[in-house]
Amino acid sequence: MKAEAAFTHDVPPQRVVFASGALSRVGEEAERLNIGRALVVATPGSGERLGKKVTDILGAQAVGLHAQAVIHVPKAVAEAGLKAARDTKADGVIVVGGGSAIGLAKAIAFETALPIIAIPTTYSGSEATPILGMTDGERKITVRDSKVVPRTIIYDPDLTLGLPPAVSASSGMNAIAHCVEALWIDNRTPVTVGLSCEAMLRIGRSLPVAVADGSNQPARSDCLIAAWLAGAVLSAGTALQHKLAHVLGGLGLPHAEAHAIILPHVMRFNLEAAPEAKARLEDALVSGDPADAIANMLRKFPIPERLREIGFDKAKSDFVAGEVAAGKITAPRPATADAVREILAAAY
Ligand code: NAD
C-alpha cells in the first residue's frame, strides 16, 4: 500500500461506441460532431483497405483518404498529413487502424484542433490517451495535449478478426504493459487501478485465444475492451517500462515488440518493490509469479522474444541507459543507468 494517498485524476472523457458492426454508425457519429468533410486517415496496405471501407460508408461526408501513416509519426509524415487536411479543407479526422494511424491523426489535430473519431483495430490503446509521440531523427518526442484526444471512439470487434497473429500479440502485449505500469506509478488512482485490473483480467485470459484463433469473436471483444481500458490508464502517467520503450522506439525499434520484449524484465526488476501491484497481477493472471506468466505468454506468441532479434545495437546500451536515467524515475524503485543496462543485457 502507498503510505499516503496522493494523486491527480486526469483521464479524458470520451464518447465510446462499442458493438459488432458499429462501423456502420460512423456517419451519424460524425454528424454528432458536426463533421461534414472528414479526412480519413489510415496506414498503407491492409490499413488502406480499412480506410476505403470507411470512406465508402461516409460517402459525401468524406473528402479524402490519406493512407500514409507510418509508425512513430516521423516529422515528414506528420507534415504530409497536415497538408492533406488543409488541402481538402477537412473539418474532422476519422482514423481507422492501429496506433500508427491514430498517431498521425493526433499529429494533425495537434496543429489544427480538428476533432478526431478513432476506429481502432489493434490493442495499442492510443485512442484513449492525450499523448502524441512523433520522431525527429533518432529521438522520439512526446507531447500531451487535450486537442489530440479523439472525441469519439468506435470499437467494432469485427474489424479485428483479420488482425494478423503477430500484430494481435505485439499490440496486446503493449496493452498489458500499459496495465502493469499503471499499477506501480505514483499517480495511480482508485479508478486507474480498478480499470487496469479489469483490463488485465480480460486480456490475460483472451489474448492467447485471439492470437491462436483470430476469428474468435468473444476473445476479440474482450481484448478490444481491455485495450480501451489500458489506454485510459496510460493517461495517468508512465514510468520505467514506457520510458525505456520510448527511447528504444526513438532508435527505430518497433514499438509494440520492444514493449513486449522488455516487459517481463522490467516486471522482474520492479515488482519486488511494488507488493500491491504484484498482488493485483497475481490475481488477474492467476499466477504466483506475474513476470513469469507474462514471459510464458510471450514465448508462445509468434513475435520476437529478444532485443537482438529486432535489431537493437548493443553498443547503444549506454546511450539508452543514460536517456532513461535522466528521467529520474523513482517509482516503484530508482531506474538507474546500471539497472537499465542490466535489463537491456537480460533482454538482449
Ligand atoms: P500499427 O498501427 O503500426 O499496426 C501494425 C500493422 O497492422 C500495420 O501494418 C497495420 O496496417 C496493420 N493493421 C492494423 N489493423 C489491422 C487490421 N484490423 N487488419 C489487418 N491489419 C491491420 O501498430 P500498433 O501496435 O497498433 O501501434 C504502434 C504505434 O502506436 C507506435 O507508433 C506507438 O508509439 C503508438 N502508440 C501510441 C500510444 C499513445 O498513447 N500515444 C499508445 C500506444 C502506442
Side-chain angles (χ1 to χ4, degrees), residues 238-286:
T238 58
L240 173 58
Q241 170 72 23
H242 285 74
K243 179 71 184 174
L244 184 48
H246 171 95
V247 179
L248 293 173
L251 293 178
L253 300 193
H255 177 84
E257 287 84 346
H259 259 294
I261 291 168
I262 60 172
L263 182 60
H265 303 281
V266 172
M267 287 172 79
R268 270 184 204 118
F269 175 72
N270 269 347
L271 280 181
E272 289 314 318
E276 182 195 319
K278 186 165 183 275
R280 290 185 190 278
L281 289 169
E282 285 170 358
D283 286 349
L285 293 167
V286 201

Side-chain angles (χ1 to χ4, degrees), residues 43-48 50 70-73 97-103 106 121-133 140 159-164 167 170-171 174 178 234 255-256:
T43 36
S46 53
E48 182 163 9
L50 288 167
V70 172
I71 188 161
H72 298 316
V73 201
S100 298
I102 296 168
K106 286 176 162 181
T121 63
T122 72
Y123 309 129
S124 81
S126 178
E127 65 278 6
T129 81
I131 304 158
L132 160 63
K140 194 165 171 187
L159 297 178
T160 65
L161 299 179
L163 189 62
V167 186
S170 59
S171 68
N174 194 184
H178 302 337
L234 177 61
H255 177 84

Side-chain angles (χ1 to χ4, degrees), residues 163-173 210-211 220 256-257 301-304:
L163 189 62
V167 186
S168 303
S170 59
S171 68
M173 290 295 282
V211 171
R220 287 297 196 183
E257 287 84 346
F301 286 166
I303 55 173

Side-chain angles (χ1 to χ4, degrees), residues 26-296:
V26 63
E28 59 192 88
E29 290 302 325
E31 235 166 76
R32 278 184 72 95
L33 294 172
N34 292 321
I35 297 175
R37 301 179 54 81
L39 179 68
V40 177
V41 167
T43 36
S46 53
E48 182 163 9
R49 281 192 291 281
L50 288 167
K52 179 82 179 41
K53 232 176 171 170
V54 176
T55 48
D56 285 351
I57 294 173
L58 285 170
Q61 281 174 292
V63 288
L65 170 59
H66 183 76
Q68 290 172 34
V70 172
I71 188 161
H72 298 316
V73 201
K75 210 170 161 207
V77 169
E79 284 165 359
L82 191 59
K83 184 172 183 306
R86 290 191 169 135
D87 288 351
T88 56
K89 298 191 173 53
D91 60 5
V93 179
I94 300 185
V95 54
V96 62
S100 298
I102 296 168
L104 177 55
K106 286 176 162 181
I108 296 171
F110 182 61
E111 296 295 336
T112 59
L114 289 177
I116 300 175
I117 295 178
I119 310 168
T121 63
T122 72
Y123 309 129
S124 81
S126 178
E127 65 278 6
T129 81
I131 304 158
L132 160 63
M134 291 184 289
T135 39
D136 190 1
E138 274 207 340
R139 276 217 163 74
K140 194 165 171 187
I141 320 147
T142 305
V143 290
R144 189 186 169 99
D145 194 304
S146 56
K147 282 200 298 285
V148 309
V149 178
R151 304 277 182 88
T152 303
I153 309 174
I154 299 175
Y155 286 110
D156 184 343
D158 297 0
L159 297 178
T160 65
L161 299 179
L163 189 62
V167 186
S168 303
S170 59
S171 68
M173 290 295 282
N174 194 184
I176 292 175
H178 302 337
C179 296
V180 169
E181 186 122 290
L183 292 174
W184 62 46
I185 58 167
D186 272 341
N187 193 44
R188 62 189 182 276
T189 80
V191 173
T192 61
V193 168
L195 295 184
S196 168
C197 293
E198 172 73 10
M200 276 306 294
L201 190 81
R202 287 177 183 268
I203 204 159
R205 71 183 176 207
S206 292
L207 186 60
V209 181
V211 171
D213 172 15
S215 66
N216 186 311
Q217 176 83 319
R220 287 297 196 183
S221 288
D222 228 12
C223 289
L224 208 50
I225 290 172
W228 166 38
L229 304 181
V233 301
L234 177 61
S235 301
T238 58
L240 173 58
Q241 170 72 23
H242 285 74
K243 179 71 184 174
L244 184 48
H246 171 95
V247 179
L248 293 173
L251 293 178
L253 300 193
H255 177 84
E257 287 84 346
H259 259 294
I261 291 168
I262 60 172
L263 182 60
H265 303 281
V266 172
M267 287 172 79
R268 270 184 204 118
F269 175 72
N270 269 347
L271 280 181
E272 289 314 318
E276 182 195 319
K278 186 165 183 275
R280 290 185 190 278
L281 289 169
E282 285 170 358
D283 286 349
L285 293 167
V286 201
S287 162
D289 188 337
D292 245 28
I294 294 298
N296 286 336

